[in-house]
Amino acid sequence: MKILVLNAGSSSQKSCLYEIADEALPTQAPKPVWEGKVNWTQDHGVAEIEVKTAIGATVENSISGESPEAHLAYMLNTLTDGATKVINQLSEIDLVGHRVVHGGQNYRESVVITEDVKKAIANLSNLAPEHNPAALAGIKAIENILGKVIQIAVFDTAFHRTIPDAAAIYPGPYEWVEQGIRRYGFHGISHQYCSGRAAQILGKDLASLRLITCHLGNGCSLAAIKNSRSIDTTMGFTPLEGLMMGSRSGSIDPGILIHLLRYCNYSVEKLNDVLNKASGLRGISGVSSDMRQVRKAIAQNNTRAQLAWDMYVHRLCSNIGAMLASLGGLDALVFTAGVGENSPGIRQAACDAFGFLGLKIDQEKNQQQPVDEDIATPDSAVRVLVIHTQEDWAIAQQCWQLQQNSNLLDF
Ligand code: ADP
């Protein structure tokens, strides 16, 4: 079975093609046979296209003019043409899976995309303005380019549907609950994938484990997972809540917002920009939203960069503590995404804070770029895993499972 995955960002569309046997899913993520990316640069209308295949063929091109859909069509044509050809016709693609950031309260599982689903994704755009419209554009482009292929929406919010009301509802007036103002949580595809992979690495039944998964990328969130389900998470109604992030503030006193609006001449747009783009590591360090740059600046005795690091660690630890309370204990702490997978210093600092639980990491293993590995010492009371998140593969898996359960291709 050939499954094409599309992962839309605010200024990019990443895509990959998996070939999976019809009978069974592989136990570990296979390499996609083809990967493509369109990046829309600041220059209006310029698309940078990069394509590579599993056997190392590549295509790179910049296209100016034309529509984003034409750019996507160009990228998809490299599946059937030229050096990166991996299939004869686009009609060989059986299913197309899309990452959709916000599924609201109604979409609690992956679903086949219908007119109603498209309307719902569009209606939820004001809750995920950077992402839902981009996913919708991808869905419409595939309809036009591939015709009648089955498309599936895999929602980032779906994994968190099991969070109990006591953890999901905000203590405002009760009308908020009726208006759908509640914790949805994000990065669900990654948290779910990492929980399954953690059970695999530990050789344990996922249902028997209490896990905290730390997704630390540009956006950062934690999930508390018990009985295979998300029972708490740090992101909320929007992806702004919770941890300090690359350029997002995470949780702050809501009174600050009232103060800025009332006394400092902030408009709603300015508030939005500051909280999303000029805060977090970037705002405090003044250097960058990228942890690597912050580290470099610390090595040059930049005190604001040091403060940004210390705050990031403090907030990471205090939020891990909150997840710990929701779980009532911990079998494994999991680190994933750009910072989680690549920063031994952040892992060490977070683990040091939980030494009192009997959690100990092997300092050598921590330094040796672990991938899908347990880096706790043998006598540690809690396992510590570093897992390479594979969101695209998780989307392909969910498409494959939906097809198995509903025989989509028989219609
Ligand atoms: P996204 O959240 O956009 O998917 P990633 O998960 O790829 O992003 O994470 C990107 C971030 O990972 C970068 O901004 C950078 O801060 C961090 N990162 C990547 N490599 C390293 C590294 N070697 N050390 C520390 N941080 C890293």
Side-chain angles (χ1 to χ4, degrees):
M1 183 183 301
K2 295 184 178 65
I3 303 179
L4 184 72
V5 172
L6 269 89
N7 190 335
S10 50
S11 60
S12 69
Q13 189 56 270
K14 288 192 255 174
S15 179
C16 56
L17 183 74
Y18 288 99
E19 263 199 83
I20 310 172
D22 290 350
E23 306 76 45
L25 277 175
T27 49
Q28 283 189 37
K31 219 175 156 127
V33 289
W34 172 98
E35 289 171 85
K37 183 173 182 186
V38 186
N39 241 334
W40 287 282
T41 58
Q42 307 287 4
D43 285 337
H44 186 66
V46 176
E48 281 161 9
I49 297 172
E50 290 170 24
V51 179
K52 63 178 179 190
T53 66
I55 55 165
T58 57
V59 166
E60 282 182 24
N61 213 340
S62 280
I63 305 179
S64 49
E66 301 192 71
S67 65
E69 187 172 316
H71 303 145
L72 208 55
Y74 179 95
M75 179 181 78
L76 294 177
N77 269 333
T78 69
L79 281 160
T80 55
D81 268 328
T84 57
K85 173 175 173 174
V86 286
I87 52 175
N88 289 319
Q89 295 170 16
L90 292 178
S91 59
E92 288 173 36
I93 295 169
D94 297 292
L95 298 170
V96 180
H98 294 265
R99 171 175 175 228
V100 181
V101 164
H102 218 305
Q105 295 201 73
N106 293 334
Y107 292 97
R108 298 168 149 240
E109 307 279 348
S110 302
V111 290
V112 173
I113 297 171
T114 60
E115 287 305 314
D116 282 348
V117 174
K118 281 190 280 180
K119 269 187 217 146
I121 295 171
N123 288 340
L124 288 162
S125 287
N126 59 354
L127 298 187
E130 298 270 301
H131 290 96
N132 271 26
L136 204 55
I139 292 165
K140 288 185 178 155
I142 292 290
E143 274 172 10
N144 294 337
I145 299 163
L146 265 78
K148 262 187 70 182
V149 67
I150 295 168
Q151 301 200 67
I152 292 169
V154 180
F155 298 100
D156 246 333
T157 45
F159 181 54
H160 299 299
R161 70 191 178 277
T162 46
I163 294 177
D165 282 351
I169 294 176
Y170 291 100
Y174 195 79
E175 292 95 273
W176 286 7
V177 183
E178 290 155 350
Q179 288 166 21
I181 296 179
R182 59 183 291 128
R183 181 181 308 288
Y184 290 103
F186 299 89
H187 293 141
I189 300 167
S190 173
H191 288 298
Q192 186 171 20
Y193 170 78
C194 288
S195 64
R197 186 80 183 108
Q200 224 177 25
I201 294 167
L202 296 171
K204 294 258 170 71
D205 179 5
L206 176 57
S208 72
L209 293 171
R210 291 161 304 178
L211 304 171
I212 297 174
T213 46
C214 310
H215 180 109
L216 309 175
N218 284 312
C220 301
S221 71
L222 307 180
I225 298 162
K226 195 176 184 177
N227 289 326
S228 320
R229 291 165 167 214
S230 170
I231 60 159
D232 205 354
T233 192
T234 55
M235 281 182 171
F237 178 61
T238 74
L240 249 186
E241 196 184 350
L243 301 172
M244 176 169 167
M245 312 185 204
S247 65
R248 280 175 247 167
S249 61
S251 294
I252 57 170
D253 175 358
I256 297 170
L257 312 185
I258 298 166
H259 175 86
L260 294 171
L261 289 168
R262 189 177 277 158
Y263 300 115
C264 303
N265 218 10
Y266 269 54
S267 63
V268 173
E269 272 323 303
K270 184 170 176 192
L271 206 50
N272 184 52
D273 264 16
V274 166
L275 295 174
N276 279 293
K277 299 186 183 144
S279 299
L281 290 176
R282 174 182 287 153
I284 296 298
S285 70
V287 174
S288 169
S289 62
D290 188 319
M291 190 60 97
R292 289 165 288 197
Q293 303 304 325
V294 173
R295 274 301 259 196
K296 268 192 202 151
I298 292 171
Q300 291 157 3
N301 298 322
N302 181 320
T303 52
R304 272 177 59 183
Q306 182 67 54
L307 174 64
W309 172 276
D310 293 343
M311 288 169 60
Y312 187 98
V313 168
H314 172 79
R315 284 169 174 252
L316 175 58
C317 294
S318 60
N319 278 274
I320 291 174
M323 296 295 113
L324 202 52
S326 288
L327 286 173
L330 186 63
D331 297 300
L333 183 64
V334 179
F335 291 96
T336 193
V339 176
E341 293 172 34
N342 296 299
S343 175
I346 288 294
R347 292 192 296 258
Q348 178 82 55
C351 289
D352 285 350
F354 294 94
F356 70 90
L357 293 177
L359 183 160
K360 287 184 226 160
I361 55 171
D362 180 322
Q363 300 200 358
E364 226 169 274
K365 279 191 182 164
N366 184 35
Q367 291 293 338
Q368 288 167 351
Q369 296 176 331
V371 181
D372 290 9
E373 221 181 303
D374 182 354
I375 59 165
T377 59
D379 64 337
S380 173
V382 177
R383 309 321 304 161
V384 180
L385 305 177
V386 181
I387 295 181
H388 172 47
T389 192
Q390 306 250 18
E391 287 169 299
D392 292 339
W393 170 237
I395 293 168
Q397 276 179 316
Q398 295 207 23
C399 292
W400 188 92
Q401 266 150 0
L402 196 61
Q403 136 66 19
Q404 286 290 308
N405 299 342
S406 344
N407 290 322
L408 301 173
L409 300 177
D410 292 348
F411 292 104

